Amino acid sequence: QSALTQPASVSGSPGQSITISCSGTSSDVGGYNYVSWYQQHPGKAPKLMIYEVTTRPSGVSNRFSGSKSGNTASLTISGLQAEDEADYYCSSYTFTSAVDVVFGGGTKLTVL
Amino acid sequence: QVQLQESGPGLVKPSETLSLTCAVSGYSISRGYYWGWIRQPPGKGLEWIGFIFHSGNIFYTPSLRSRVTILVDTSKNQFSLRLSSVTAADTALYYCARTVTSQYYFDYWGQGILVTVSS
């Protein structure tokens, strides 16, 4: 069981917007602004899409945006494109008794 | 361009030690960043294993701490993973990745190497 909770799947039509949630606790998502998001296409390594909750790395489309409210972070993809179909994982720094990095279970995005 | 490449045996027997190496090119490990390992069991999600700074400062995920060792070799610009007493539950795709220090996100990843634990 993953430390962070994501929906197993989401779907949307081309051009629409979707949001993927990532629920944690005050010890991880809610306690630090160290939430990141990764896109993984089948058979490929994960790719960084968002870091520090809202920041896009150079080269990542501005259709991808991140936010956080309380213990829940969100990834929004606007203007859905077929190439966005992939698995998406959130991650957060956490510290209880030691440094740790936790991931969500992943969300399968289907572009209809 | 930073590149990472994992190498090592693809098959390990139960109770033995899994050993992998990650060769880094395009960036000197000695300049900074954490260098770490993440794994993904077949069809499942990602799990952080640990990371190391070039000075040797190391962090491991609590659930694997008793079995994991990560080492860095700055002369070869590479780092390694050792996981002892493996079981079938350790079968996974193992990725090495560069971790941005104190911000805890992974900006460059290797392509991954599948390690199967089986007799």
Side-chain angles (χ1 to χ4, degrees):
Chain A
Q1 187 171 355
S2 302
L4 305 178
T5 301
Q6 298 180 233
S9 63
V10 299
S11 63
S13 299
Q16 288 186 333
S17 295
I18 63 95
T19 296
I20 299 172
S21 61
C22 172
S23 297
T25 69
S26 58
S27 295
D28 40 62
V29 173
Y32 308 92
N33 287 324
Y34 297 140
V35 175
S36 51
W37 289 90
Y38 303 87
Q39 176 191 64
Q40 186 179 35
H41 286 110
K44 299 294 187 181
K47 174 187 176 184
L48 177 68
M49 305 302 285
I50 296 286
Y51 64 93
E52 290 185 294
V53 181
T54 61
T55 306
R56 271 189 318 276
S58 174
V60 171
S61 170
N62 59 9
R63 298 185 298 104
F64 291 83
S65 62
S67 63
K68 188 181 82 167
S69 177
N71 296 337
T72 299
S74 298
L75 174 71
T76 297
I77 309 174
S78 59
L80 269 181
Q81 299 179 0
E83 68 207 48
D84 299 333
E85 184 162 298
D87 292 327
Y88 291 85
Y89 294 91
C90 63
S91 176
S92 176
Y93 168 83
T94 180
F95 188 99
T96 49
S97 58
V99 168
D100 203 353
V101 177
V102 291
F103 285 95
T107 298
K108 170 66 177 176
L109 169 62
T110 301
V111 180
L112 302 170
Chain B
Q1 176 74 346
V2 180
Q3 293 184 316
L4 297 90
Q5 178 70 58
E6 304 90 349
S7 62
L11 181 64
V12 180
K13 290 182 169 56
S15 80
E16 294 190 346
T17 296
L18 177 160
S19 295
L20 298 174
T21 298
C22 181
V24 180
S25 59
Y27 190 88
S28 172
I29 286 179
S30 299
R31 289 178 58 189
Y33 290 92
Y34 285 121
W35 303 88
W37 294 92
I38 297 139
R39 69 180 183 179
Q40 184 173 33
K44 296 187 178 180
L46 301 167
E47 179 184 24
W48 175 66
I49 299 172
F51 44 56
I52 188 168
F53 198 59
H54 65 85
S55 62
N57 200 19
I58 306 172
F59 299 98
Y60 299 131
T61 191
S63 63
L64 295 175
R65 184 175 292 125
S66 64
R67 297 196 291 130
V68 173
T69 302
I70 296 177
L71 299 173
V72 65
D73 186 340
T74 55
S75 67
K76 295 182 178 179
N77 214 40
Q78 64 186 35
F79 58 103
S80 61
L81 169 71
R82 299 186 68 193
L83 182 65
S84 64
S85 304
V86 297
T87 69
D90 295 310
T91 293
L93 196 55
Y94 285 77
Y95 293 102
C96 59
R98 191 178 81 167
T99 310
V100 177
T101 312
S102 299
Q103 292 162 298
Y104 308 101
Y105 63 88
F106 312 99
D107 60 350
Y108 289 95
W109 296 65
Q111 64 185 27
I113 183 169
L114 178 63
V115 179
T116 301
V117 178
S118 175
S119 56

